[in-house]
Amino acid sequence: MYFLTGWPRRLLCPLRSEEEPFHIQPSSQRFYFGVLSETQLSIWFSRPSVLIVSYIESAKAAAQFGFYQKAEWKPDDSMIAVATAKGYILLFDVLGRGDDKSLYEPVYPKGSPRVRATPGYKEEQCAPALSLEMKKPVDLEAPITSLRSLQEDLLVCTADGYLHVLHWDGLGSNGRKAICLSTIPFSLDLQSARGGPSLDLEGVYIRCMEYCVTLDGFAVVLSDGRLGFITPLSNTITADLQGVWAADVNDGTCVAVNNKYRLMAFGCASGSVLVYMIDTTTGSMQLSHKLELTPKHYPDIYNKTGPVKLICWSPDYSVVMVTWECGGLSLWSVFGAHLICTLGEDFAYRSDGTKKEPVKISSMSWGAEGYHLWVLPIKQERREQQQEEEAEQQQKQEEEEEMATPPQPSLQAGILQFHFIKSALTVNPCTSNQEQVLLHGEDRLYLTCGDPSQVHSAADTHPHTHLHPPDGSPPHQPPDPDSSLSQGLSTLLGHKHWHVVQIHSTYLESNWPIRFAAIDTAGQCMAVAGRRGFAHYSLFTRKWKLFGNITQEQNMTVTGGLAWWKDFVVVACYNYIDQQEQLRLYQRSSNLDNAFASVTKLHSDTLLLNVFRDMVIVFRADCSICLYSLERRNDSPHPTASVELLQEVSMSRYIPHPALVVSVTLTSVRTETGITLKAPQQACMAESIMLNLAGQLIMLQRDRSGPQVREKETPANNKKLLPFCPPVVLAQCVENVWTTCRSNRKKRHLLEALWLSCGEAGMKVWLPLFPRDHRKPHSFLSRRIMLPFHINIYPLAVLFEDALVLGATNETVLYDGLQGAAEPLEALFPYCTVERTSQIYLHHILRQLLVRNLGEQALMLAQSCASLPYFPHVMELMVHVVLEEEATSREPIPDPLLPTVAKFITEFPLFLQTIVHCARKTEYALWNYLFAAVGNPKDLFEECLMAQDLDTAASYLIILQSMEVPAVSRQHATLLFNTALEQGKWDLCRHMIRFLKAIGSGEMDTPPPTPTTQEPSSTGGFEFFRNRSISLSQSADTIAMGKFNLQKTFSMPSGPSSRGRDGECPENMYIDMMLWRHARHLLEQVRLRDLGCFSAQLGFELIGWLCRERNRVARVEDFVSALKRLHKDFLWPFPVIPGGSISSPLKNGRCRTVLSTRLLKSQSADSLLNSDMDTAPSRAASSNNTWLDGLGQRSKDMDAASSSHSNQHSPQTHDAFLSLLTSKVEEYSVGSATDLTETSSVVDGDWTMVDESSSTLSLSQAELEHISMELANKGPHKSQVQLRYLLHVFMEAGCLEWCVVIGLILRDANVIKQVIGFLDSPEVPQDTVQSVQSGLLAVDTWVSTDCLGYKPFLNLIQPQLQDLMDSAAEQVQPEAFQPSSQSSKLGGSEGPGGAAAPRPEDGRGATAPLGLALPSLEPAGGFPRPPSEDCPPEQTEELGEDEGAYDCTLS
């Protein structure tokens, strides 16, 4: 509503004076402020805030009249009355200077566009020069207690019990009249006034009095502390008065009346403020609500504030400021919602925790439109402070000479000016059907909507926190791109910052203060109206539009407010030239000019205006409501709007005073919504008028009782609108109302509801109740229900579909720069900021429905909102709130709600998760109560396992651990551990290992945290380099033919099997047994990829375990199915034979040599070779071996799996270079190699790039096909890395059968040769040799029938297979390999020149090396490949060596 911002400003009085100001009184428009000190009357101007004139009393007159005490302005600002201590009233005339001169004028530099050509507008931005003249004083002969202006009269209360009525002008004997208080009869209500109990008023006088226009009476505080209300029974103010008094109160101190809401706020000596209203039927005073500090929020000060000193309603009557004798300021909304208090938190304490003295206040007043609060700090305090300052400065005098004289300004009188920003709803309630929050300060607007250009990228630009604050404010979620929200949630909630728009200074200077502000539904256009005219702003263009013709601006003033309709501004204004009220529509994109406006004359002053769909509703000063229809016309070059009067409704019977109407709204809400679910079109109709009459919400519905048949007969255009029924009161104490004109079949509950903000009572929602399944409801069931609920923020907007309330809150920032006694007054206050807040309300409504046994409605409502991102949080909150209330209640609860809530939540899939999250955020003492209602945690744990929701199960485990004996939790933990292993939830597995160890070692005090639902950010490869390093070079050097005692250089992470002090404890054995069992299970099912992940993620010593299992489970039963399974798991394509393989020119050695040398000469070769290479391209062309040596510097330390002949570099340079090129290509298409067409196109593009740059290179179609075919035969790079790693592991563990299978899938002849070489060793058991033989035979059979792509590779390794068969104990029929072996021998004997048959080298050279990057390669652009693509950086390096070995070595 109102929010404090920044630091207070201190205004110093330019006149030196020993007197301190103690009373401030604003003029009726609040442009002038009268400030009193003991013998001075000063008049200040509001903007600029400067002193205009000061009247100083002579010593002689001061002695006669006494010191000044109170002041009051005449309503037209032409006179001031001052009351003095000795009972005199001094009247001053306030006179303007005749000669058009101002006291302060703005000075602009020459040539500035701000210099206005039009005369007469200058005084708007100047402080006028005034003078004061004293008239004849009036002596009332008794001390004056109260002074109030009333139209042409001045009411003065004196301490002798009289009420004097003075006429402002005629101060002769006829101009005054005195009424004795004791002659006024007082009773408890007006009905019993004739004979009821009356107050004895002997010796009692009026201490404080205020006149209330709308109640037509005086609120008074009597000298004995009683509260009363005096009302004239006849028309004249002073004829026979009648009083009512409030029972049971006798400590009243002061009073302030609220004319708009007909409330009287009485301050009490106890420190609380009692707000009374007058009962219209009996005329008695009824307590509406209290304003007091609560012990919950202000535990150390709530009962130490002292009596209430001053109460001040804001100019728009929407908030009230209170101060106490002990100091401090506190702000409440009209019906008691607490907004700000300066007695707590940063206002009361410094950052080091020391307490500040609250500032005591002698007088305060709101400035124009409530943007400022002018405060006079109390006199004694400033005197003490000054003495302290002087004392401190005398101490410093010796050190610093210039500080000897205390600074003069501190002797000057100071006025503190607090700055406020307020919601646009306070004066222009037409924005209540929109979903934006709009606040306006004195010179700027604050909006919640984001920048239109950022709406789509909001998810990326704002970091979203997924925190669930305990107060029920929702987590800030990234927006769902598919959600059809009215506004992107991200725009409205994405961040805490406001979009601040500075109001155009040219407009502001001549039209300050801003009185109205409005924003359109999309949140992209704003309009503001000040004293005259208006201006509007667009977020798209970031520009203001002002009237081009200043005269047009100054000839209108906005009276009834502004609103947006589509792209028109709708303005209810008064035209000074025609002297009449008008309704105008200005188009946004046209120039702001009356020529483009559509104008409709109105018959009476407009007070309020609102827009609903294509209708405008206007409330006028004669208490009538008019409905107009709007229609856009595009016939002229500038679009215009036509306005047509639809209906007039007179409300004068129901509204006692037009100023009491706070807001008027058209809505589609009607009481009989529930009759049918089949009529959503009625939701669009303007069904009823909502009128907030001084806090009472009144509803007028269309009267459908008449015959309804004729509607169909009459043509649509002249259909007469239905009349309205008599009004019905829906609610009391209403501050704001929100409804929407949108409709949504899925969320009808929320969109057809009516939302009310009710001050301290929180919010209320008038919810429609729908029958289920289109049944006709019983006539006695209600159609709607009013549900109250409390929220922790002040609501400023409602997001209907998103079930959110938006608000704002004051935050403070401490500033300790100026500590010590010399601290200026304004620095006592922290710096204030306003932050956006939001809160979920759905759980309150669901709970209220369940309490009222409306579970069906609650379920329909919850199901319609189940897709909201914070719906799980809503459910948790609901359980949490009910649990806290019921489990901590002292009285027994006959019908507890928790079981109902628990059953309700089981209707949703997130039941298990909700319960466990709620339990873990609740203290342990309440768990038994919770699980008694929702079920045994063991059963819930098992349900989670059944539903495969392991993370939730892990949370239940922690609850079980606290509630059950260790044996039970170990049993459940084992179940969960096994399931997690099976599903590959590695993070959870690691937590479970720690958990099981903790159970064993008795570390039960600190349960492990639940795993987060986040999976580890693995790159998909085995993260085996994360915790350990493999030194491939060492193992390669120590390799010996046929030996298995490879030196292991694995530094394993301290995994489950790490031996240490607890190495042999039963818990570790237990965990190891489970891990071994899982590894065995994976190997039996040929799930090598899962085995690798399992080993890498859990630090499982795979090699050690495989060594033990070498002759048990680490055998391959069926080579063919194992090979197929690997192809599937690693996404490795089955090889295919290219169509033109026989006649391919690439088989010609000469052709390929030429190709490679040309490539090397080309410019692009430089970009292909790594910068590590020092060898020049020309030199490389002449000496192949040198080039290869330069390229493969690191190939000396090769992988253990590479051939023992790896020192003999192959002379086929061209093979190496071709593989280099294709490997570069492969970097681009990682993972897409399975798709032949895609890959070949990439390769195509790449080759042509090389082609263009070298200009001599040409490749035939056949060659391209061949290359693309080779690429298609290879799997993703990541899979290759993983297979190489597994090969290394199996080789170290001596599992030769697996090495053969992996060698086959990689089509790496060296591996097969090496393994077959190992088989000769006596250490290899005979059955392994047999297994390899039979397996290879089975593979050969399968290849011949099902997968011919493997044929070239089998041909390549034919000699080794032959050796294996020959050395076998049982003779295998050699016929099986006969044909292929012959052809391969023939091919081999042909030599490099012959192309009769493919050479074994071709088969090997064309398959294995394809796509394997050389150790020092970069992608073509010359930039290093980001390591995250496949594996961590060190992994890439090691793999480089690994792969290089296979690339460059051909036997």
Side-chain angles (χ1 to χ4, degrees):
M1 201 47 102
Y2 271 63
F3 304 96
L4 198 52
T5 171
W7 272 302
R9 181 193 294 158
R10 184 162 56 148
L11 309 175
L12 294 177
C13 176
L15 298 172
R16 299 271 182 278
S17 166
E18 285 303 309
E19 296 177 2
E20 289 289 334
F22 57 82
H23 181 79
I24 184 166
Q25 187 68 31
S27 67
S28 60
Q29 291 291 308
R30 296 178 195 266
F31 289 155
Y32 302 105
F33 292 87
V35 176
L36 290 185
S37 56
E38 288 159 355
T39 62
Q40 265 187 23
L41 165 63
S42 307
I43 295 184
W44 287 70
F45 194 58
S46 56
R47 178 188 166 98
S49 303
V50 289
L51 177 66
I52 299 175
V53 62
S54 206
Y55 178 92
I56 302 178
E57 193 68 82
S58 66
K60 180 184 169 198
Q64 182 195 346
F65 301 137
F67 288 153
Y68 293 171
Q69 285 182 331
K70 294 180 172 52
E72 180 65 295
W73 288 79
K74 190 177 172 187
D76 63 359
D77 298 354
S78 63
M79 291 175 83
I80 297 182
V82 176
T84 64
K86 296 192 177 175
Y88 284 87
I89 298 282
L90 309 180
L91 289 162
F92 293 88
D93 274 330
V94 182
L95 305 170
R97 295 270 297 275
D99 54 348
D100 197 33
K101 278 279 183 199
S102 298
L103 189 65
Y104 290 91
E105 295 183 359
V107 177
Y108 296 120
K110 278 191 177 141
S112 163
R114 297 193 182 198
V115 181
R116 285 274 168 83
T118 329
Y121 296 118
K122 203 172 181 186
E123 70 268 11
E124 302 285 2
Q125 11 178 330
C126 307
L130 303 176
S131 60
L132 290 171
E133 277 184 18
M134 193 202 277
K135 298 172 81 172
K136 189 181 165 201
V138 181
D139 184 6
L140 297 178
E141 298 164 2
I144 296 166
T145 56
S146 183
L147 188 65
R148 283 291 171 257
S149 175
L150 175 63
Q151 291 132 24
E152 291 304 305
D153 296 318
L154 182 67
L155 285 108
V156 186
C157 305
T158 50
D160 55 2
Y162 276 88
L163 174 61
H164 298 269
V165 184
L166 312 178
H167 201 275
W168 272 105
D169 299 331
L171 283 170
S173 55
N174 62 344
R176 60 185 272 199
K177 179 179 175 188
I179 301 161
C180 183
L181 185 63
S182 53
T183 63
I184 301 174
F186 270 83
S187 56
L188 280 172
D189 59 35
L190 291 180
Q191 290 173 337
S192 60
R194 298 288 171 265
S198 184
L199 279 181
D200 177 23
L201 295 175
E202 203 55 53
V204 175
Y205 59 89
I206 295 174
R207 181 189 293 173
C208 183
M209 171 181 79
E210 272 214 15
Y211 177 68
C212 180
V213 182
T214 49
L215 283 171
D216 190 27
F218 309 98
V220 294
V221 176
L222 303 179
S223 56
D224 59 1
R226 292 182 189 267
L227 315 178
F229 177 70
I230 303 175
T231 176
L233 295 178
S234 61
N235 295 348
T236 51
I237 291 287
T238 49
D240 58 6
L241 298 172
Q242 166 73 47
V244 289
W245 51 280
D248 310 326
V249 184
N250 51 15
D251 65 341
T253 56
C254 57
V255 64
V257 297
N258 185 326
N259 284 313
K260 190 167 204 150
Y261 289 90
R262 300 175 97 179
L263 297 173
M264 300 172 286
F266 293 95
C268 299
S270 64
S272 58
V273 176
L274 307 176
V275 184
Y276 280 88
M277 49 189 260
I278 296 291
D279 185 326
T280 43
T281 50
T282 65
S284 62
M285 289 175 69
Q286 286 195 334
L287 183 66
S288 165
H289 55 278
K290 281 187 184 182
L291 310 177
E292 52 193 359
L293 298 180
T294 56
K296 181 180 169 191
H297 294 109
Y298 301 93
D300 47 354
I301 191 79
Y302 76 98
N303 52 1
K304 302 187 181 72
T305 56
V308 175
K309 179 150 194 194
L310 292 164
I311 305 172
C312 239
W313 289 99
S314 65
D316 55 25
Y317 296 113
S318 57
V319 292
V320 61
M321 186 66 87
V322 176
T323 181
W324 295 271
E325 290 289 349
C326 82
L329 289 166
S330 188
L331 187 71
W332 277 276
S333 78
V334 60
F335 289 111
H338 198 199
L339 299 169
I340 306 160
C341 179
T342 65
L343 290 176
E345 297 170 350
D346 289 351
F347 288 100
Y349 297 94
R350 296 185 180 84
S351 54
D352 56 3
T354 54
K355 201 163 175 5
K356 302 178 192 172
E357 264 311 301
V359 174
K360 295 189 173 68
I361 290 164
S362 59
S363 181
M364 62 181 177
S365 160
W366 287 94
E369 295 298 322
Y371 292 124
H372 297 126
L373 182 75
W374 296 56
V375 168
L376 297 180
I378 220 152
K379 183 167 109 182
Q380 293 86 342
E381 184 179 296
R382 293 191 50 81
R383 279 281 152 78
E384 288 161 20
Q385 188 187 333
Q386 244 153 272
Q387 286 157 12
E388 280 174 25
E389 282 177 25
E390 283 160 17
E392 191 178 274
Q393 273 145 9
Q394 278 160 10
Q395 288 168 13
K396 290 182 181 174
Q397 197 168 2
E398 293 83 43
E399 304 163 25
E400 299 178 31
E401 206 53 44
E402 68 270 16
M403 287 297 283
T405 55
Q408 285 303 313
S410 65
L411 289 172
Q412 297 173 352
I415 301 175
L416 286 183
Q417 207 182 50
F418 291 87
H419 307 275
F420 286 86
I421 58 177
K422 59 179 187 173
S423 161
L425 294 174
T426 53
V427 279
N428 196 30
C430 69
T431 49
S432 65
N433 51 11
Q434 295 165 6
E435 310 200 337
Q436 270 82 26
V437 177
L438 176 65
L439 306 180
H440 49 102
E442 183 185 22
D443 59 352
R444 64 198 64 192
L445 300 174
Y446 295 76
L447 11 152
T448 49
C449 46
D451 182 344
S453 60
Q454 291 170 358
V455 170
H456 303 297
S457 61
D460 323 321
T461 49
H462 312 308
H464 293 276
T465 47
H466 293 263
L467 298 175
H468 297 305
D471 62 351
S473 47
H476 288 188
Q477 289 280 1
D480 175 11
D482 306 325
S483 63
S484 57
L485 298 183
S486 51
Q487 275 276 327
L489 258 182
S490 62
T491 2
L492 294 165
L493 298 181
H495 48 92
K496 288 220 165 193
H497 302 291
W498 296 92
H499 195 106
V500 182
V501 176
Q502 202 77 27
I503 296 172
H504 199 290
S505 55
T506 311
Y507 179 75
L508 202 59
E509 274 166 7
S510 47
N511 297 292
W512 182 91
I514 296 300
R515 293 166 52 209
F516 300 100
I519 188 167
D520 71 339
T521 20
Q524 297 304 319
C525 302
M526 277 80 29
V528 293
R531 215 181 312 186
R532 299 279 174 100
F534 75 98
H536 63 85
Y537 176 85
S538 162
L539 272 180
F540 292 114
T541 59
R542 310 227 166 202
K543 285 198 174 85
W544 280 95
K545 272 197 179 163
L546 277 61
F547 274 97
N549 183 340
I550 188 83
T551 329
Q552 290 184 3
E553 178 186 280
Q554 296 298 320
N555 281 336
M556 66 175 274
T557 185
V558 177
T559 53
L562 313 148
W564 285 91
W565 171 71
K566 296 183 177 166
D567 53 349
F568 288 87
V569 191
V570 185
V571 185
C573 62
Y574 181 78
N575 182 341
Y576 286 103
I577 294 179
D578 303 344
Q579 297 199 341
Q580 65 172 11
E581 281 284 325
Q582 295 177 340
L583 181 69
R584 298 187 185 179
L585 278 86
Y586 292 87
Q587 216 263 340
R588 188 189 74 210
S589 50
S590 314
N591 287 342
L592 196 47
D593 195 296
N594 293 348
F596 304 127
S598 60
V599 180
T600 310
K601 293 181 182 175
L602 303 176
H603 306 302
S604 173
D605 293 2
T606 311
L607 298 182
L608 289 165
L609 149 138
N610 211 331
V611 173
F612 176 86
R613 292 188 181 264
D614 294 337
M615 292 169 83
V616 170
I617 179 168
V618 168
F619 177 75
R620 306 189 308 198
D622 59 0
C623 293
S624 63
I625 291 173
C626 295
L627 302 182
Y628 293 88
S629 71
L630 302 175
E631 193 184 339
R632 188 188 169 101
R633 293 233 171 120
N634 291 327
D635 41 14
S636 64
H638 294 281
T640 56
S642 65
V643 182
E644 187 189 340
L645 178 65
L646 293 177
Q647 199 169 3
E648 269 194 60
V649 186
S650 173
M651 295 290 293
S652 49
R653 290 172 56 196
Y654 311 107
I655 299 176
H657 195 290
L660 294 173
V661 178
V662 180
S663 71
V664 59
T665 322
L666 265 178
T667 76
S668 52
V669 171
R670 44 191 278 226
T671 44
E672 64 272 17
T673 335
I675 286 181
T676 168
L677 274 170
K678 292 178 185 162
Q681 77 277 357
Q682 285 173 353
C684 310
M685 307 276 291
E687 284 296 334
S688 54
I689 295 173
M690 296 283 173
L691 204 71
N692 183 350
L693 176 67
Q696 277 197 332
L697 188 65
I698 294 177
M699 176 177 178
L700 291 92
Q701 290 197 83
R702 297 232 180 247
D703 186 358
R704 297 182 177 274
S705 56
Q708 302 287 301
V709 199
R710 283 179 311 210
E711 279 191 26
K712 291 170 187 160
E713 300 161 12
T714 55
N717 52 7
N718 59 3
K719 186 162 86 175
K720 195 169 182 306
L721 286 169
L722 294 170
F724 286 95
C725 305
V728 185
V729 178
L730 291 184
Q732 300 273 15
C733 300
V734 177
E735 292 181 6
N736 281 315
V737 185
W738 292 274
T739 75
T740 179
C741 52
R742 290 198 311 277
S743 57
N744 179 341
R745 286 306 296 271
K746 294 198 183 92
K747 295 191 178 177
R748 288 190 61 189
H749 276 97
L750 294 178
L751 282 171
E752 293 181 25
L754 186 72
W755 305 90
L756 315 175
S757 149
C758 299
E760 67 171 344
M763 285 187 79
K764 290 182 182 167
V765 56
W766 201 35
L767 204 67
L769 301 178
F770 297 112
R772 285 191 86 159
D773 319 321
H774 306 293
R775 290 178 299 207
K776 190 173 187 316
H778 297 292
S779 55
F780 57 82
L781 289 180
S782 66
R783 312 270 184 265
R784 282 184 173 267
I785 186 167
M786 187 72 83
L787 304 173
F789 59 92
H790 272 278
I791 60 170
N792 302 330
I793 64 175
Y794 189 86
L796 296 174
V798 176
L799 299 189
F800 304 96
E801 283 106 328
D802 306 321
L804 277 182
V805 174
L806 299 185
T809 175
N810 253 118
E811 297 292 334
T812 49
V813 183
L814 267 180
Y815 176 72
D816 287 342
L818 299 163
Q819 275 197 348
E823 186 173 36
L825 206 50
E826 63 272 25
L828 273 173
F829 294 93
Y831 186 83
C832 294
T833 59
V834 183
E835 294 222 329
R836 297 167 51 175
T837 52
S838 55
Q839 199 174 331
I840 307 172
Y841 55 73
L842 198 54
H843 58 291
H844 293 298
I845 298 179
L846 295 174
R847 181 185 165 194
Q848 294 278 2
L849 288 169
L850 291 176
V851 167
R852 289 164 171 75
N853 238 343
L854 292 167
E856 272 195 0
Q857 301 291 331
L859 194 60
M860 286 160 71
L861 174 57
Q863 282 166 345
S864 72
C865 297
S867 59
L868 290 173
Y870 35 83
F871 185 70
H873 185 52
V874 170
M875 291 300 184
E876 266 176 61
L877 275 171
M878 184 159 73
V879 178
H880 185 79
V881 172
V882 174
L883 171 66
E884 291 268 307
E885 268 180 31
E886 294 187 357
T888 56
S889 162
R890 292 183 184 169
E891 282 80 40
I893 301 171
D895 45 350
L897 186 62
L898 192 61
T900 317
V901 171
K903 290 196 184 78
F904 177 75
I905 297 182
T906 50
E907 297 286 329
F908 297 91
L910 41 91
F911 163 68
L912 296 162
Q913 180 188 332
T914 304
I915 295 301
V916 76
H917 286 182
C918 180
R920 295 206 48 204
K921 291 172 189 170
T922 318
E923 53 190 298
Y924 174 68
L926 310 183
W927 284 6
N928 284 327
Y929 188 83
L930 173 65
F931 288 106
V934 299
N936 190 324
K938 284 191 278 193
D939 303 340
L940 299 174
F941 174 85
E942 278 154 25
E943 277 184 52
C944 291
L945 280 187
M946 300 267 288
Q948 302 286 312
D949 186 357
L950 302 191
D951 292 316
T952 308
S955 297
Y956 276 107
L957 200 54
I958 287 173
I959 285 166
L960 284 172
Q961 175 203 4
S962 308
M963 296 181 76
E964 302 282 348
V965 291
V968 175
S969 43
R970 173 186 294 158
Q971 175 194 348
H972 286 81
T974 310
L975 269 172
L976 180 59
F977 185 38
N978 285 331
T979 320
L981 281 173
E982 193 52 49
Q983 292 194 7
K985 295 275 181 75
W986 307 120
D987 236 17
L988 183 56
C989 292
R990 283 192 284 272
H991 284 300
M992 293 314 301
I993 288 171
R994 210 173 72 241
F995 185 79
L996 284 164
K997 280 187 184 174
I999 291 179
S1001 58
E1003 300 167 15
M1004 296 308 291
D1005 317 329
T1006 56
T1010 6
T1012 52
T1013 47
Q1014 198 98 29
E1015 276 292 292
S1017 58
S1018 70
T1019 51
F1022 309 140
E1023 299 197 0
F1024 52 93
F1025 285 108
R1026 194 174 47 188
N1027 300 321
R1028 56 170 176 261
S1029 59
I1030 300 178
S1031 163
L1032 296 171
S1033 54
Q1034 272 178 288
S1035 42
D1037 294 342
T1038 53
I1039 219 168
M1041 190 61 160
K1043 292 278 186 285
F1044 291 122
N1045 54 351
L1046 301 174
Q1047 176 191 348
K1048 293 188 184 59
T1049 57
F1050 278 62
S1051 54
M1052 289 284 184
S1054 53
S1057 316
S1058 55
R1059 300 281 167 256
R1061 63 180 171 76
D1062 58 350
E1064 303 306 323
C1065 77
E1067 281 312 316
N1068 284 2
M1069 283 302 295
Y1070 180 64
I1071 294 167
D1072 283 354
M1073 293 293 292
M1074 284 197 281
L1075 292 172
W1076 292 342
R1077 189 171 65 214
H1078 184 65
R1080 203 172 301 132
H1081 174 66
L1082 290 177
L1083 208 50
E1084 279 167 359
Q1085 294 193 337
V1086 199
R1087 287 160 58 186
L1088 284 202
R1089 188 182 183 122
D1090 294 348
L1091 182 67
C1093 284
F1094 161 72
S1095 145
Q1097 294 278 0
L1098 298 186
F1100 179 68
E1101 287 187 7
L1102 192 53
I1103 294 180
W1105 178 77
L1106 282 171
C1107 286
R1108 287 198 297 281
E1109 297 286 337
R1110 188 187 302 155
N1111 296 321
R1112 290 199 291 275
V1113 77
R1115 306 284 304 269
V1116 183
E1117 300 299 327
D1118 180 354
F1119 275 58
V1120 176
S1121 63
L1123 198 58
K1124 286 179 178 169
R1125 178 72 194 238
L1126 288 186
H1127 271 292
K1128 183 177 157 214
D1129 279 2
F1130 288 93
L1131 305 174
W1132 203 268
F1134 287 102
V1136 285
I1137 297 183
S1141 62
I1142 305 303
S1143 59
S1144 164
L1146 272 174
K1147 299 295 178 284
N1148 186 313
R1150 183 182 52 76
C1151 162
R1152 284 189 296 156
T1153 322
V1154 171
L1155 173 68
S1156 58
T1157 8
R1158 275 188 194 166
L1159 263 175
L1160 280 168
K1161 283 176 187 158
S1162 76
Q1163 289 300 306
S1164 67
D1166 297 346
S1167 68
L1168 294 174
L1169 303 176
N1170 194 319
S1171 52
D1172 291 355
M1173 285 190 47
D1174 354 8
T1175 326
S1178 57
R1179 186 174 148 210
S1182 58
S1183 154
N1184 292 335
N1185 284 347
T1186 350
W1187 177 69
L1188 246 177
D1189 290 343
L1191 187 68
Q1193 268 308 306
R1194 307 239 247 4
S1195 60
K1196 299 221 174 22
D1197 17 38
M1198 283 191 182
D1199 186 292
S1202 79
S1203 158
S1204 55
H1205 312 300
S1206 59
N1207 310 352
Q1208 310 167 355
H1209 291 301
S1210 155
Q1212 272 88 5
T1213 316
H1214 47 271
D1215 268 1
F1217 199 77
L1218 262 179
S1219 67
L1220 162 101
L1221 255 181
T1222 46
S1223 82
K1224 170 189 74 88
V1225 171
E1226 200 269 342
E1227 303 288 1
Y1228 278 84
S1229 54
V1230 171
S1232 63
T1234 44
D1235 182 347
L1236 235 166
T1237 54
E1238 184 188 338
T1239 317
S1240 48
S1241 69
V1242 171
V1243 175
D1244 229 0
D1246 243 11
W1247 275 102
T1248 45
M1249 176 188 81
V1250 174
D1251 195 350
E1252 285 162 12
S1253 58
S1254 63
S1255 75
T1256 55
L1257 179 65
S1258 56
L1259 282 173
S1260 69
Q1261 184 65 31
E1263 291 161 346
L1264 286 177
E1265 274 176 18
H1266 180 83
I1267 288 167
S1268 59
M1269 189 64 68
E1270 292 302 351
L1271 261 180
N1273 286 346
K1274 220 174 67 54
H1277 180 71
K1278 205 175 287 178
S1279 298
Q1280 187 176 324
V1281 172
Q1282 294 172 347
L1283 283 166
R1284 290 273 170 203
Y1285 170 63
L1286 286 171
L1287 179 61
H1288 173 89
V1289 168
F1290 281 123
M1291 194 66 93
E1292 283 215 10
C1295 302
L1296 297 180
E1297 298 160 47
W1298 278 113
C1299 295
V1300 170
V1301 177
I1302 297 176
L1304 279 172
I1305 194 172
L1306 286 172
R1307 282 170 290 157
D1308 189 335
N1310 292 334
V1311 175
I1312 307 289
K1313 289 173 193 169
Q1314 200 175 340
V1315 171
I1316 289 174
F1318 284 151
L1319 286 176
D1320 296 344
S1321 161
E1323 296 172 31
V1324 178
Q1326 192 56 41
D1327 51 353
T1328 306
V1329 182
Q1330 287 173 8
S1331 167
V1332 171
Q1333 284 173 357
S1334 53
L1336 282 169
L1337 279 171
V1339 168
D1340 187 64
T1341 318
W1342 168 70
V1343 163
S1344 309
T1345 55
D1346 289 351
C1347 185
L1348 291 170
Y1350 269 115
K1351 210 63 181 165
F1353 178 62
L1354 287 180
N1355 292 345
L1356 173 65
I1357 58 170
Q1358 182 58 43
Q1360 285 74 30
L1361 299 181
Q1362 200 60 51
D1363 292 349
L1364 180 61
M1365 298 307 148
D1366 294 346
S1367 67
E1370 311 89 24
Q1371 283 302 312
V1372 182
Q1373 288 299 316
E1375 285 78 45
F1377 288 103
Q1378 217 44 40
S1380 61
S1381 67
Q1382 277 173 359
S1383 65
S1384 81
K1385 280 173 193 163
L1386 173 67
S1389 62
E1390 282 288 344
R1399 294 167 16 263
E1401 283 84 5
D1402 286 343
R1404 194 256 163 281
T1407 51
L1410 274 177
L1412 297 182
L1414 283 165
S1416 52
L1417 264 194
E1418 292 181 1
F1423 48 84
R1425 184 178 77 238
S1428 60
E1429 190 180 312
D1430 307 302
C1431 44
E1434 59 265 49
Q1435 183 175 347
T1436 340
E1437 197 179 301
E1438 307 265 6
L1439 286 172
E1441 302 173 356
D1442 183 353
E1443 297 165 23
Y1446 298 105
D1447 266 0
C1448 304
T1449 56
L1450 300 171
S1451 67

